[in-house]
């Protein structure tokens, strides 16, 4: 057995991800009441259970035509927001080939990237791009364990973000949410972060390759929170949301209720009238009654 075979066998054991027709029970644990956002139906959207070192880490709804995630849904982990990990960027082979292995792998160092390019973004799509950076939907600063952080470094979890927006307003928003949930969420917090698009594309070799988000949006749900928190913070529980314009200017992130965000997305993207981010709007009593009936 040569060294390359040994290396890829190692990858198959340690780094896993899978595309699913429907999210499995263990992957539904990353969504409130085990329920993904509803009202997002499209043949080009694929459900990915992102796995790393043998464990599911979060879930992603991925568009194999626009080559970006529509959203990533994850559970927040308390962290200092500082430590990062040094891992290679990864891709999802099941989006490009028929396989039962469920393996997510680091990009190889040679030109075989192009064999994956029909159904997903590849590293070359983000090379020599001045205005855009690879912006995480599930950011590593919202995770604590090194493996959870490492699992966010896949191109199935990133979108082209204007650099000034990525390192400015949106990064500040991620800090605010991390501090708020660190301080006032007593139980598990569920977060869904997604995008809207308007037709702008990153082109490579004169071909449209990767959709550029017009807006990024995010919402969290934490039903077990500190009821003695200051009112300005307590009023943002159990559920709150925000969106920001992915531009150099006018890109301020605006916080709002989840219902306001849902109304905004119904008007500005392809979700249908049933669109709902969290089951029962993250209202535990209504959600439990709905399940019982």
């Amino acid at each position: 057995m040569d060294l390359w075979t040994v290396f890829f066998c190692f990858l198959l054991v340690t780094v896993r991800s899978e595309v699913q027709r429907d999210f499995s029970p263990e992957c539904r644990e990353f969504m409130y009441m085990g329920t993904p956002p509803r009202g997002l139906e499209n043949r080009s959207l694929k459900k990915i259970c992102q796995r790393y070192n043998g464990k599911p880490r979060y879930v992603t709804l991925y568009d194999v035509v626009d080559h970006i995630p529509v959203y990533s849904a994850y559970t927040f982990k308390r962290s200092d927001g500082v430590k990062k990990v040094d891992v290679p960027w990864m891709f999802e082979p099941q989006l490009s080939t028929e396989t039962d292995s469920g393996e997510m792998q680091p990009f190889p160092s040679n030109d075989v990237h192009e064999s994956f390019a029909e159904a997903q973004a590849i590293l070359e799509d983000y090379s020599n791009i001045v205005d855009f950076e690879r912006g995480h939907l599930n950011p590593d600063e919202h995770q604590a364990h090194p493996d959870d952080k490492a699992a966010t470094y896949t191109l199935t979890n990133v979108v082209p973000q204007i650099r000034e927006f990525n390192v400015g307003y949106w990064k500040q928003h991620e800090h605010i949410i991390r501090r708020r949930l660190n301080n006032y969420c007593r139980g598990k917090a569920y977060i869904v972060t997604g995008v809207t698009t308007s037709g702008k594309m990153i082109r490579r070799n004169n071909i449209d390759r990767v959709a550029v988000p017009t807006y990024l949006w995010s919402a969290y749900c934490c039903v077990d929170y500190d009821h003695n928190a200051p009112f300005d913070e307590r009023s943002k529980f159990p559920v709150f949301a925000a969106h920001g314009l992915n531009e150099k200017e006018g890109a301020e992130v605006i916080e709002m209720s989840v219902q306001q965000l849902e109304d905004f997305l119904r008007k500005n993207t392809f979700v249908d009238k049933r669109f709902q981010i969290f089951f029962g709007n993250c209202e535990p009593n209504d959600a439990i009654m709905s399940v019982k009936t």
Side-chain angles (χ1 to χ4, degrees):
M1 183 179 293
D2 60 33
L3 290 177
W4 276 109
T5 303
V6 172
F7 174 68
F8 278 105
C9 286
F10 171 76
L11 291 177
L12 296 181
V13 172
T14 59
V15 184
R16 301 184 64 248
S17 180
E18 60 181 332
V19 176
Q20 303 180 336
R21 289 189 176 182
D22 198 7
F23 291 121
S24 62
E26 64 178 352
C27 297
R28 286 178 175 267
E29 293 181 3
F30 300 104
M31 298 171 287
Y32 180 63
M33 298 297 288
T35 304
R38 70 180 184 187
L40 285 163
E41 300 296 336
N42 189 303
R43 290 184 179 180
S44 69
L45 303 182
K46 303 297 182 182
K47 297 172 181 174
I48 303 175
C49 184
Q50 307 278 15
R51 296 176 181 268
Y52 190 87
N53 272 351
K55 295 182 180 180
R57 305 291 171 173
Y58 60 103
V59 299
T60 298
L61 188 66
Y62 192 81
D63 191 326
V64 297
V65 174
D66 283 346
H67 302 146
I68 59 170
V70 173
Y71 68 73
S72 284
Y74 58 97
T75 50
F76 173 83
K77 314 299 192 304
R78 288 178 176 81
S79 74
D80 57 17
V82 175
K83 292 183 179 179
K84 295 183 180 293
V85 292
D86 184 15
V87 293
W89 283 100
M90 293 178 277
F91 74 102
E92 175 48 69
Q94 287 188 102
L95 290 174
S96 305
T97 60
E98 290 293 330
T99 175
D100 294 326
S101 64
E103 305 301 337
M104 176 209 244
Q105 301 174 7
F107 280 97
S109 58
N110 52 33
D111 293 334
V112 299
H113 290 199
E114 292 296 337
S115 64
F116 316 138
E118 182 176 347
Q120 61 190 292
I122 60 176
L123 292 176
E124 285 84 346
D125 293 324
Y126 287 91
S127 65
N128 300 317
I129 301 297
V130 176
D131 293 332
F132 300 104
E133 293 186 343
R134 289 168 283 199
H136 290 66
L137 297 190
N138 174 7
D140 66 350
E141 81 160 82
H142 284 185
Q143 303 298 330
H145 192 279
D147 282 354
D148 289 330
K149 288 179 176 290
T152 68
Y153 286 87
T154 164
L155 292 194
T156 54
N157 179 51
V158 302
V159 297
Q161 287 189 34
I162 295 290
R163 183 182 187 280
E164 290 81 355
F165 178 64
N166 184 36
V167 302
Y169 283 114
W170 194 252
K171 179 59 66 177
Q172 182 181 7
H173 170 69
E174 291 173 341
H175 291 337
I176 289 171
I177 298 306
R178 177 179 58 80
R179 290 193 296 267
R180 182 181 298 158
L181 296 179
N182 272 349
N183 292 334
Y184 304 115
C185 181
R186 297 293 179 252
K188 184 178 290 187
Y190 302 87
I191 300 182
V192 182
T193 300
V195 302
T196 74
T197 60
S198 66
K200 294 181 181 179
M201 303 287 291
I202 290 177
R203 293 174 61 83
R204 182 166 57 85
N205 298 327
N206 294 319
I207 298 174
D208 288 342
R209 284 294 305 156
V210 181
V212 176
T214 303
Y215 283 89
L216 268 73
W217 57 267
S218 188
Y220 63 81
C221 164
C222 172
V223 297
D224 182 9
Y225 61 93
D226 183 359
H227 289 262
N228 294 316
F231 176 77
D232 284 350
E233 298 293 348
R234 190 171 71 250
S235 63
K236 298 178 176 64
F237 285 93
V239 60
F240 217 56
H243 68 54
L245 184 64
N246 186 28
E247 294 286 354
K248 290 183 179 181
E249 299 179 358
E252 182 179 4
V253 175
I254 302 172
E255 286 198 289
M256 62 193 66
S257 71
V258 168
Q259 286 76 19
Q260 288 173 319
L261 175 60
E262 290 172 345
D263 288 342
F264 173 83
L265 294 176
R266 290 188 189 102
K267 297 174 183 177
N268 289 277
T269 192
F270 60 84
V271 301
D272 65 28
K273 294 180 179 179
R274 301 180 302 116
F275 180 64
Q276 186 177 63
I277 297 173
F278 296 116
F279 183 84
N281 293 316
C282 187
E283 297 176 5
N285 292 333
D286 290 347
I288 293 172
M289 289 299 295
S290 296
V291 171
K292 289 181 177 180
T293 56

